[in-house]
Amino acid sequence: MTPPTPAITPQQQLDRLNNRLNELAGWRDRARLPLEPGVFTDAQGHTSPIAVGQAWPTRAFPVSMTFRAAVPQDWAGQPVTLYADPGGEALLRVNGQPAGGLNPYHREHLLLARAQGGEQLEIVITASPKGLFGTPERSPALRAARLCVPDHALRPVYEDLLAFLDGAAQLLKMGR
């Protein structure tokens, strides 16, 4: 006779599903190109290099982070997005043109609907160490900066599963 299998709690099931969803998140893009190193410019005009994972050299704001990149030739015909988390609220400019804003809930912008391949991009992120509604960002850091070719077949599946998992977690918190 085999010993009884220990019961798996609903929280353990959600934790396992969350781990699988995090693995799936790694496949949301067909291709990625890191934007490193960038040039960090503080409010007084002093510059220094900045890389993903690095804290801002100063909190005096506004600051700017400038990145230059060439779209790979093999991305021709595909959409290209920028995924960036500058560590605060920010305005995004691409090749001198305004492209939108960045905040913790809006980190991705479409840059090219259909790349030709080889396009030269100058990406300037003007940021302040503030979160939504002006809440202070105590430790601003460049958390992400990359060009992506999104996988439009996988992303809707990922987003649906994320919503289901979030709903299940809320129901569990309510004891249901």
Side-chain angles (χ1 to χ4, degrees):
M1 183 171 199
T2 60
T5 304
I8 297 174
T9 69
Q11 184 60 54
Q12 288 172 320
Q13 290 175 329
L14 284 178
D15 291 344
R16 287 180 179 179
L17 290 171
N18 193 48
N19 289 339
R20 298 297 79 74
L21 190 61
N22 285 338
E23 292 170 359
L24 185 62
W27 295 95
R28 290 182 301 168
D29 301 316
R30 292 176 183 257
R32 293 180 178 180
L33 177 67
L35 296 178
E36 296 189 78
V39 176
F40 182 94
T41 306
D42 67 17
Q44 289 76 36
H46 302 106
T47 63
S48 59
I50 190 163
V52 171
Q54 183 179 351
W56 291 11
T58 179
R59 290 194 51 162
F61 63 90
V63 303
S64 69
M65 292 169 250
T66 304
F67 303 92
R68 298 186 194 293
V71 175
Q73 290 293 337
D74 59 341
W75 289 13
Q78 300 183 70
V80 176
T81 63
L82 169 73
Y83 183 88
D85 182 352
E89 286 191 317
L91 296 173
L92 172 65
R93 295 178 73 81
V94 179
N95 292 342
Q97 298 299 311
L102 296 166
N103 65 50
Y105 297 102
H106 193 202
R107 296 181 179 142
E108 191 167 27
H109 281 279
L110 179 66
L111 300 184
L112 302 168
R114 187 175 173 92
Q116 298 297 311
E119 292 94 334
Q120 298 294 316
L121 301 175
E122 180 187 57
I123 298 161
V124 178
I125 299 170
T126 303
S128 66
K130 306 277 185 191
L132 291 178
F133 309 111
T135 57
E137 174 65 44
R138 302 278 184 226
S139 302
L142 178 62
R143 294 182 186 97
R146 62 181 174 264
L147 296 181
C148 305
V149 174
D151 187 328
H152 290 298
L154 180 64
R155 283 190 175 200
V157 173
Y158 170 81
E159 295 295 332
D160 286 348
L161 292 173
L162 180 62
F164 293 140
L165 186 59
D166 186 48
Q170 294 304 316
L171 288 170
L172 184 61
K173 284 181 184 177
M174 294 171 29
R176 298 172 63 193

